[in-house]
Amino acid sequence: MTGESNDNEAAQRLARVCDRIDRAACNAGRKSEDVVLIAVSKTQGTDDIVPLIHAGQRVFGENRIQEAHAKWPALREVYQDISLHMVGQLQSNKAEEAVALFDFIHSLDRPSLLMAVARAMDKLGRHPPCFIQVNIGDESQKGGCAIDALPALIAAAQGAGIPLAGLMCVPPANVEAAPYFALLAKIARDHDLTGLSMGMSGDYETAVMLGATHIRVGTALFGARK
Ligand SMILES: *Cc1c(COP(=O)(O)O)cnc(C)c1O
């Protein structure tokens, strides 16, 4: 495909997603400016990412440190107003790399990782805001902090000087996501946290209606993953 038709297709996909965000926000009495669209570019190459940047998208998400390192430093030399979000599971031994590379981290979910991130922030003098990921469906195979363990983790983050952006979740697959989004919103309210990172390609409109401030959209913007 030529660069131009890639650009057209990316612009169309982006316009379609933004349109749906607008409508969902409007239906909920919210402003679409209060919803940050994160384009999750995992598995997508630079050739797939650049058309979306040309279309105006500036906020991107990745789920692997190594892959993000391979793609984004070079892109950022050209496009300097990019904001990069870490949306995947994070190992403690990668905390320093994550703090150095990302502007937001969505996956704080346990005390050991929290302490590693806090140490990295102190060392690097860089403090990207973090979301605490909540295992909202109580699924054993999934990342995220158990709901019961959340108050202690929030307190630990605050004590360690980590700027908290809010809460993040990935609800169980193949069931209606709305109850999980509503629960995450309630838990965030109970803790006076304003940020809500929830909603993906299949359910971002529902998430927006239920208060999402950050939606993480991959395939609806890029097409199928590589
Ligand atoms: C891949 C991924 C997304 C995007 O998923 P799509 O269904 O492609 O929109 C969102 N959040 C996380 C944590 C992801 O890993």
Side-chain angles (χ1 to χ4, degrees):
M1 222 192 289
T2 66
E4 202 173 312
S5 60
N6 267 342
D7 274 7
N8 284 338
E9 199 174 324
Q12 275 170 21
R13 286 197 178 119
L14 181 60
R16 209 176 305 136
V17 170
C18 288
D19 204 49
R20 290 186 172 178
I21 295 170
D22 279 346
R23 247 176 296 161
C26 184
N27 285 341
R30 303 185 63 206
K31 296 195 193 105
S32 50
E33 301 90 77
D34 296 336
V35 180
V36 177
L37 170 62
I38 303 168
V40 179
S41 49
K42 65 187 186 201
T43 79
Q44 307 293 346
T46 299
D47 289 354
D48 306 295
I49 293 171
V50 166
L52 214 54
I53 297 176
H54 284 169
Q57 180 67 24
R58 289 295 181 274
V59 185
F60 289 85
E62 292 283 348
N63 71 337
R64 292 188 170 175
I65 301 275
Q66 210 179 347
E67 185 184 339
H69 253 303
K71 295 192 301 204
W72 285 100
L75 279 168
R76 280 176 140 174
E77 298 233 329
V78 185
Y79 306 100
Q80 293 176 3
D81 52 350
I82 297 289
S83 156
L84 202 55
H85 291 241
M86 173 63 184
V87 302
Q89 290 292 298
L90 188 55
Q91 292 170 286
S92 297
N93 63 3
K94 301 275 174 64
E96 202 173 309
E97 277 182 275
V99 167
L101 183 62
F102 289 94
D103 302 298
F104 287 83
I105 295 173
H106 289 241
S107 45
L108 274 194
D109 65 354
R110 57 195 189 277
S112 55
L113 175 61
L114 190 148
M115 293 321 292
V117 166
R119 276 195 303 274
M121 286 181 173
D122 285 344
K123 183 172 168 190
L124 301 177
R126 218 182 114 72
H127 295 81
C130 297
F131 291 83
I132 294 182
Q133 182 175 351
V134 180
N135 188 350
I136 200 74
D138 195 21
E139 296 173 281
S140 58
Q141 78 284 10
K142 242 186 207 155
C145 160
I147 292 174
D148 284 353
L150 188 61
L153 202 62
I154 291 172
Q158 286 164 342
I162 295 178
L164 275 189
L167 301 180
M168 178 274 213
C169 76
V170 180
N174 307 317
V175 295
E176 175 57 46
Y180 296 102
F181 293 155
L183 179 58
L184 193 75
K186 181 195 182 301
I187 297 170
R189 268 198 311 277
D190 289 347
H191 289 94
D192 290 323
L193 294 170
T194 49
L196 281 173
S197 168
M198 57 188 197
M200 314 191 345
S201 290
D203 52 25
Y204 64 89
E205 291 154 284
T206 305
V208 167
M209 288 199 270
L210 291 168
T213 60
H214 295 70
I215 57 176
R216 310 176 310 266
V217 178
T219 47
L221 290 171
F222 288 101
R225 273 189 275 284
K226 302 289 152 49

PDB file of all heavy atoms in Angstrom, residues 19 81 91 101 117 131 146 154 191 196:
ATOM      1  N   ASP A  19     -15.406   9.993  16.685  1.00  0.00           N
ATOM      2  CA  ASP A  19     -16.824  10.247  16.547  1.00  0.00           C
ATOM      3  C   ASP A  19     -17.631   9.461  17.584  1.00  0.00           C
ATOM      4  O   ASP A  19     -18.553   9.980  18.222  1.00  0.00           O
ATOM      5  CB  ASP A  19     -17.215   9.796  15.132  1.00  0.00           C
ATOM      6  CG  ASP A  19     -18.441  10.497  14.652  1.00  0.00           C
ATOM      7  OD1 ASP A  19     -18.467  11.729  14.775  1.00  0.00           O
ATOM      8  OD2 ASP A  19     -19.376   9.799  14.185  1.00  0.00           O
ATOM      9  N   ASP A  81       6.132  15.739  20.451  1.00  0.00           N
ATOM     10  CA  ASP A  81       5.021  15.957  21.385  1.00  0.00           C
ATOM     11  C   ASP A  81       4.229  14.680  21.650  1.00  0.00           C
ATOM     12  O   ASP A  81       3.062  14.716  22.012  1.00  0.00           O
ATOM     13  CB  ASP A  81       4.101  17.070  20.856  1.00  0.00           C
ATOM     14  CG  ASP A  81       3.663  16.816  19.421  1.00  0.00           C
ATOM     15  OD1 ASP A  81       4.212  15.896  18.764  1.00  0.00           O
ATOM     16  OD2 ASP A  81       2.758  17.519  18.949  1.00  0.00           O
ATOM     17  N   GLN A  91       7.607  -5.960  35.011  1.00  0.00           N
ATOM     18  CA  GLN A  91       8.456  -6.672  35.985  1.00  0.00           C
ATOM     19  C   GLN A  91       9.264  -5.655  36.765  1.00  0.00           C
ATOM     20  O   GLN A  91       9.697  -4.638  36.210  1.00  0.00           O
ATOM     21  CB  GLN A  91       9.412  -7.609  35.254  1.00  0.00           C
ATOM     22  CG  GLN A  91       8.737  -8.773  34.569  1.00  0.00           C
ATOM     23  CD  GLN A  91       9.723  -9.498  33.674  1.00  0.00           C
ATOM     24  OE1 GLN A  91      10.085  -9.018  32.594  1.00  0.00           O
ATOM     25  NE2 GLN A  91      10.176 -10.656  34.139  1.00  0.00           N
ATOM     26  N   LEU A 101      11.337   5.721  30.102  1.00  0.00           N
ATOM     27  CA  LEU A 101      10.781   5.779  28.751  1.00  0.00           C
ATOM     28  C   LEU A 101       9.349   6.303  28.686  1.00  0.00           C
ATOM     29  O   LEU A 101       8.962   6.986  27.735  1.00  0.00           O
ATOM     30  CB  LEU A 101      10.826   4.364  28.143  1.00  0.00           C
ATOM     31  CG  LEU A 101      10.361   4.173  26.701  1.00  0.00           C
ATOM     32  CD1 LEU A 101      11.242   4.960  25.741  1.00  0.00           C
ATOM     33  CD2 LEU A 101      10.393   2.687  26.332  1.00  0.00           C
ATOM     34  N   VAL A 117       9.443   0.924  41.351  1.00  0.00           N
ATOM     35  CA  VAL A 117       9.105   2.133  40.583  1.00  0.00           C
ATOM     36  C   VAL A 117       9.467   3.384  41.388  1.00  0.00           C
ATOM     37  O   VAL A 117      10.033   4.343  40.856  1.00  0.00           O
ATOM     38  CB  VAL A 117       7.606   2.122  40.185  1.00  0.00           C
ATOM     39  CG1 VAL A 117       7.142   3.486  39.709  1.00  0.00           C
ATOM     40  CG2 VAL A 117       7.357   1.071  39.096  1.00  0.00           C
ATOM     41  N   PHE A 131      -1.192   4.615  37.238  1.00  0.00           N
ATOM     42  CA  PHE A 131      -2.488   4.037  37.584  1.00  0.00           C
ATOM     43  C   PHE A 131      -2.226   2.745  38.355  1.00  0.00           C
ATOM     44  O   PHE A 131      -1.266   2.029  38.054  1.00  0.00           O
ATOM     45  CB  PHE A 131      -3.278   3.672  36.325  1.00  0.00           C
ATOM     46  CG  PHE A 131      -3.753   4.843  35.526  1.00  0.00           C
ATOM     47  CD1 PHE A 131      -2.908   5.477  34.614  1.00  0.00           C
ATOM     48  CD2 PHE A 131      -5.052   5.320  35.667  1.00  0.00           C
ATOM     49  CE1 PHE A 131      -3.356   6.557  33.867  1.00  0.00           C
ATOM     50  CE2 PHE A 131      -5.511   6.406  34.920  1.00  0.00           C
ATOM     51  CZ  PHE A 131      -4.652   7.025  34.024  1.00  0.00           C
ATOM     52  N   ALA A 146      -5.718  -7.271  43.904  1.00  0.00           N
ATOM     53  CA  ALA A 146      -7.034  -7.692  44.399  1.00  0.00           C
ATOM     54  C   ALA A 146      -7.737  -6.487  45.034  1.00  0.00           C
ATOM     55  O   ALA A 146      -7.080  -5.611  45.606  1.00  0.00           O
ATOM     56  CB  ALA A 146      -6.868  -8.805  45.429  1.00  0.00           C
ATOM     57  N   ILE A 154      -2.669   1.741  47.613  1.00  0.00           N
ATOM     58  CA  ILE A 154      -2.817   3.190  47.392  1.00  0.00           C
ATOM     59  C   ILE A 154      -2.024   3.951  48.452  1.00  0.00           C
ATOM     60  O   ILE A 154      -1.273   4.887  48.140  1.00  0.00           O
ATOM     61  CB  ILE A 154      -4.305   3.606  47.425  1.00  0.00           C
ATOM     62  CG1 ILE A 154      -5.040   3.049  46.201  1.00  0.00           C
ATOM     63  CG2 ILE A 154      -4.448   5.128  47.484  1.00  0.00           C
ATOM     64  CD1 ILE A 154      -6.560   3.238  46.246  1.00  0.00           C
ATOM     65  N   HIS A 191     -11.956   6.317  46.886  1.00  0.00           N
ATOM     66  CA  HIS A 191     -10.585   6.662  47.273  1.00  0.00           C
ATOM     67  C   HIS A 191     -10.167   8.043  46.768  1.00  0.00           C
ATOM     68  O   HIS A 191      -8.976   8.369  46.775  1.00  0.00           O
ATOM     69  CB  HIS A 191      -9.608   5.598  46.761  1.00  0.00           C
ATOM     70  CG  HIS A 191      -9.730   4.296  47.500  1.00  0.00           C
ATOM     71  ND1 HIS A 191     -10.529   3.255  47.062  1.00  0.00           N
ATOM     72  CD2 HIS A 191      -9.188   3.881  48.664  1.00  0.00           C
ATOM     73  CE1 HIS A 191     -10.450   2.245  47.920  1.00  0.00           C
ATOM     74  NE2 HIS A 191      -9.651   2.610  48.903  1.00  0.00           N
ATOM     75  N   LEU A 196      -9.575   7.153  35.421  1.00  0.00           N
ATOM     76  CA  LEU A 196     -10.109   5.810  35.187  1.00  0.00           C
ATOM     77  C   LEU A 196      -9.639   5.330  33.820  1.00  0.00           C
ATOM     78  O   LEU A 196     -10.130   5.802  32.790  1.00  0.00           O
ATOM     79  CB  LEU A 196     -11.632   5.833  35.201  1.00  0.00           C
ATOM     80  CG  LEU A 196     -12.347   5.871  36.548  1.00  0.00           C
ATOM     81  CD1 LEU A 196     -13.842   6.052  36.315  1.00  0.00           C
ATOM     82  CD2 LEU A 196     -12.081   4.600  37.343  1.00  0.00           C
TER      83      LEU A 196
END
